[in-house]
Amino acid sequence: MSCATLNLAPSLKLLHNSNSYNFQPSSKQSCFFGKSFSSVTFVGPLTSNCNKSFWDSCHAIKGLRSFSTVFKCFAPKSELSVSVGAGSNAASDERVVVLVIGGGGREHALCYALQRSRSCDAVFCAPGNAGISNSGNATCIPELDISDSSAVISFCRKWGVGLVVVGPEAPLVSGLANDLVKAGIPTFGPSAEAAALEGSKNFMKNLCDKYEIPTAKYRTFTDPSAAKQYIQDQGAPIVIKADGLAAGKGVIVAITLEEAYKAVDSMLVKSVFGSAGCRVVVEEFLEGEEASFFALVDGENAIPLESAQDHKRVGDGDTGPNTGGMGAYSPAPVLTKELQSVVMETIILPTVKGMAAEGCKFVGVLYAGLMIEKNSGLPKLIEYNVRFGDPECQLAVLVITILCKAAVTYLIVTAACIDNRILMRNSFGQNITLFVALLGQVEDFVQIINKQDDIIQNSYGFFTPNYDCLDKLKQYPVGLSIGYDEWGDLAQVLLAASRGELSGVSLKWSPGSAMVVVMASKGYPGSYEKGTMIRNLEEAENVAPTVKIFHAGTAVDSDGNLIATGGRVLGVTATGRDLEEARDRAYQAVEEVNWPGGFYRRDIGWRALPQKHVAPKNKLTSTK
């Protein structure tokens, strides 16, 4: 008999498919388990038909924490004793309760990833939303006033919160991070002074000037007549930006002088953006391709994240007014590895050093909106956001693999044969996988399983044999007991950033691509109806195992129906081996959603892929 005991997290989900595998206990051998409290025991031999369903079922064990177990398997003729440890890194053993501030799609994605962190004991989200609550990704606290720092601090102390992750920009600009840090609560997010990188476009532009960070030529105005005279001198097209925060709507790309004059009047005369538009930045129009670049920053060190490309305009073909983002994909082909190095050296690192020199160290995520200029092919900084992008964050949590991925090929650490049985232990980083296989010819199996071409990492980041390899393995009665950590430890990475300790952190990325298609209420970014009913989300997520729907503006009405309460409502996200597969899966899921009150863009990814527009179904309107 072959067996293993794994200590699993309390939040373990085990999905059973009786058609895929079965357990057949044996009475010929006995097992002694050490440290078996709160564990799941797999007793064999296990048999499988080795079809896709079987291997998909291996993906069902989620939330595995760091574990250490010792077991012994006794056979009539031999004995095998193996000890498995998760490593002695002190930081990895630290337990933490996390509070996520915000209630949009970005925060849902963060909760989704943090819940899967090995060291995370619990995740709270304030205020949260219906999707976060219903999915169980966090405990939502809608009654907590996130604009009241004292209330947030009291909550953290009551519930032992060891890390606060601030999602949206408004609490950062208002100084929530300052107050939390002063109270001794580790916080991932910049101070109010550092958040001025997003809170004031004039501040950002001045920093670029001082530290020679490449950006578009500009002037700042409070007088509409002076602004219009400068616009006339420069000519159109030209860009008009409200200096402050305007919910992603304060940037107007004026194609004609008349449009530019109208934009100036709307901000400086009519005050359509309130105090955010009492000062405007008039900026040179840059021609090229936009891209987004993210970096984790601890005040002195910066680690690049994967690139992305957003789609700001509301309509297909990049038409219509700007929005908070109608979709995105990652990675962005336009940002080659060489260009990413240029961005780090000429934009990100000078910004980090400049902010430190100005006395306001930046801690959190630097989200650089870039333009890859058509003529030079070099990046220029358009704007900074001081938090994870939305919807780009939804992509990041599906493709990031933290301290997990060491190689695509399985590394056999321990292998021993007992009556034609082999036990293999695979370790990559702190990620532990146990295999127990009943084999006819051990050497043949090892040769197959250890060939790099026969191993893939699927879009969730799990390591499994590919299906060609499975065909080869059908000759063997293969049994598998598996324990793995899906996401690594995002909580510890963000905690390290808040402590200024990113220098010892490494990030790796799952192969393949990811795409998110935003589904918005009809009328967005203008006025829109609230309370429209949304159905079939479960069917949409079941289109493919790599589909995940993140909620932004949803609630549950008195009858238990899911309704739309915001402009951007859902982020339908999917991963694939390449961008085309990710796109196909995302749009297949979108088409399953039954929401007559919503719409979406049909061409997300058009810059990187051949033109392929999705034909709308009656369930949902695909254009405005």
Side-chain angles (χ1 to χ4, degrees):
M1 184 183 81
S2 298
C3 51
T5 294
L6 308 182
N7 291 324
L8 303 175
S11 60
L12 171 71
K13 296 180 181 178
L14 179 60
L15 306 182
H16 177 73
N17 183 343
S18 60
N19 294 324
S20 300
Y21 61 92
N22 58 76
F23 299 108
Q24 299 176 349
S26 170
S27 61
K28 295 182 179 180
Q29 297 168 316
S30 59
C31 285
F32 168 78
F33 295 93
K35 194 179 179 182
S36 60
F37 179 73
S38 298
S39 63
V40 171
T41 302
F42 298 90
V43 179
L46 285 67
T47 63
S48 167
N49 58 14
C50 284
N51 60 18
K52 182 179 184 295
S53 298
F54 167 73
W55 292 98
D56 286 344
S57 72
C58 299
H59 300 169
I61 305 175
K62 299 182 179 181
L64 178 67
R65 310 301 176 97
S66 301
F67 66 90
S68 178
T69 184
V70 179
F71 65 90
K72 295 181 180 181
C73 291
F74 299 92
K77 297 181 180 179
S78 56
E79 177 178 311
L80 172 66
S81 177
V82 180
S83 297
V84 181
S88 58
N89 189 327
S92 67
D93 296 331
E94 181 178 3
R95 315 301 302 171
V96 64
V97 174
V98 182
L99 170 63
V100 176
I101 299 294
R106 166 184 49 231
E107 288 73 38
H108 189 180
L110 287 169
C111 291
Y112 179 73
L114 286 165
Q115 185 196 36
R116 286 153 176 76
S117 293
R118 292 188 305 272
S119 66
C120 190
D121 280 335
V123 181
F124 294 101
C125 187
N129 64 44
I132 298 172
S133 179
N134 291 344
S135 67
N137 295 138
T139 301
C140 293
I141 315 295
E143 66 274 13
L144 181 58
D145 183 1
I146 61 174
S147 65
D148 183 350
S149 294
S150 60
V152 176
I153 292 169
S154 296
F155 179 88
C156 292
R157 287 175 172 164
K158 178 180 179 179
W159 293 99
V161 172
L163 173 65
V164 176
V165 180
V166 185
E169 64 275 14
L172 294 169
V173 173
S174 66
L176 176 60
N178 299 59
D179 297 333
L180 288 168
V181 172
K182 186 177 180 180
I185 300 169
T187 302
F188 183 79
S191 65
E193 295 78 15
L197 277 173
E198 179 174 359
S200 171
K201 295 176 180 62
N202 182 63
F203 175 87
M204 185 273 287
K205 287 289 192 177
N206 288 339
L207 187 83
C208 289
D209 278 350
K210 185 172 183 179
Y211 294 97
E212 299 181 343
I213 298 167
T215 188
K217 183 175 65 174
Y218 76 103
R219 287 278 299 276
T220 302
F221 299 94
T222 56
D223 176 51
S225 298
K228 291 177 183 178
Q229 183 60 55
Y230 178 77
I231 290 169
Q232 184 177 356
D233 294 342
Q234 298 301 310
I238 200 164
V239 182
I240 316 299
K241 296 182 177 181
D243 178 56
L245 299 177
K249 303 174 186 177
V251 177
I252 297 175
V253 179
I255 304 302
T256 66
L257 292 177
E258 289 71 21
E259 289 179 3
Y261 298 153
K262 183 179 179 181
V264 168
D265 285 339
S266 69
M267 297 179 195
L268 295 181
V269 179
K270 298 179 181 179
S271 301
V272 294
F273 298 121
S275 60
C278 66
R279 181 167 53 185
V280 299
V281 173
V282 180
E283 189 176 86
E284 169 192 12
F285 175 81
L286 296 177
E287 187 176 1
E289 191 168 346
E290 291 187 47
S292 302
F293 188 87
F294 302 85
L296 297 180
V297 182
D298 68 359
E300 296 181 357
N301 304 293
I303 301 177
L305 302 181
E306 190 58 279
S307 63
Q309 196 157 48
D310 194 6
H311 297 65
K312 290 293 188 184
R313 298 294 187 99
V314 72
D316 291 350
D318 285 343
T319 58
N322 272 350
T323 69
M326 293 300 295
Y329 59 91
S330 176
V334 68
L335 269 179
T336 63
K337 294 299 181 184
E338 292 76 15
L339 278 182
Q340 290 181 43
S341 297
V342 172
V343 172
M344 284 296 293
E345 293 300 322
T346 65
I347 296 176
I348 300 296
L349 292 177
T351 299
V352 174
K353 294 176 181 178
M355 293 295 286
E358 296 296 314
C360 48
K361 287 186 176 182
F362 186 93
V363 174
V365 174
L366 264 183
Y367 166 8
L370 305 172
M371 179 68 75
I372 311 303
E373 280 202 286
K374 183 177 180 179
N375 292 333
S376 68
L378 295 175
K380 282 189 175 180
L381 179 65
I382 300 175
E383 64 178 0
Y384 266 133
N385 292 329
V386 296
R387 31 65 183 185
F388 283 104
D390 189 344
E392 293 91 343
C393 183
Q394 288 86 310
L395 302 176
V397 301
L398 290 188
V399 298
I400 189 170
T401 304
I402 302 169
L403 297 176
C404 286
K405 177 187 160 195
V408 178
T409 305
Y410 283 95
L411 172 64
I412 296 179
V413 180
T414 302
C417 180
I418 305 175
D419 293 338
N420 291 325
R421 300 174 181 87
I422 183 170
L423 173 68
M424 295 177 290
R425 192 190 84 186
N426 174 38
S427 175
F428 32 99
Q430 294 180 354
N431 206 18
I432 305 298
T433 304
L434 292 178
F435 294 92
V436 181
L438 304 176
L439 308 172
Q441 297 179 0
V442 172
E443 294 79 7
D444 290 347
F445 180 82
V446 171
Q447 184 178 7
I448 292 173
I449 204 71
N450 207 35
K451 282 179 60 181
Q452 182 163 345
D453 291 342
D454 286 332
I455 303 298
I456 61 168
Q457 183 184 27
N458 75 12
S459 300
Y460 278 131
F462 307 139
F463 288 76
T464 61
N466 67 25
Y467 300 133
D468 290 336
C469 179
L470 294 185
D471 288 337
K472 301 175 186 177
L473 297 178
K474 285 181 179 179
Q475 59 185 298
Y476 301 112
V478 178
L480 174 64
S481 63
I482 181 169
Y484 53 79
D485 175 63
E486 180 177 343
W487 295 102
D489 208 323
L490 180 62
Q492 286 300 318
V493 173
L494 302 187
L495 195 58
S498 71
R499 293 170 171 170
E501 299 172 353
L502 276 183
S503 58
V505 173
S506 62
L507 303 180
K508 296 182 183 295
W509 300 94
S510 300
S513 299
M515 178 176 288
V516 56
V517 178
V518 171
M519 302 174 70
S521 296
K522 287 181 180 178
Y524 175 82
S527 59
Y528 51 85
E529 181 183 357
K530 295 183 179 181
T532 56
M533 198 174 302
I534 306 170
R535 297 185 178 91
N536 282 18
L537 293 192
E538 184 175 352
E539 291 83 350
E541 283 199 325
N542 287 336
V543 162
T546 63
V547 171
K548 175 65 181 175
I549 298 178
F550 295 108
H551 292 236
T554 63
V556 176
D557 66 14
S558 57
D559 296 322
N561 299 310
L562 187 72
I563 59 173
T565 59
R568 294 188 299 161
V569 175
L570 300 171
V572 182
T573 311
T575 59
R577 289 168 294 184
D578 52 35
L579 186 55
E580 185 171 7
E581 184 175 70
R583 176 189 62 183
D584 291 345
R585 289 174 175 175
Y587 276 110
Q588 286 169 15
V590 166
E591 291 169 6
E592 290 298 321
V593 176
N594 186 342
W595 182 26
F599 77 97
Y600 62 96
R601 277 185 61 164
R602 296 176 296 165
D603 64 344
I604 303 302
W606 69 270
R607 295 183 184 89
L609 290 170
Q611 293 295 324
K612 181 179 179 181
H613 287 249
V614 178
K617 286 189 175 183
N618 293 332
K619 296 177 183 178
L620 183 75
T621 302
S622 61
T623 60
K624 298 189 76 178

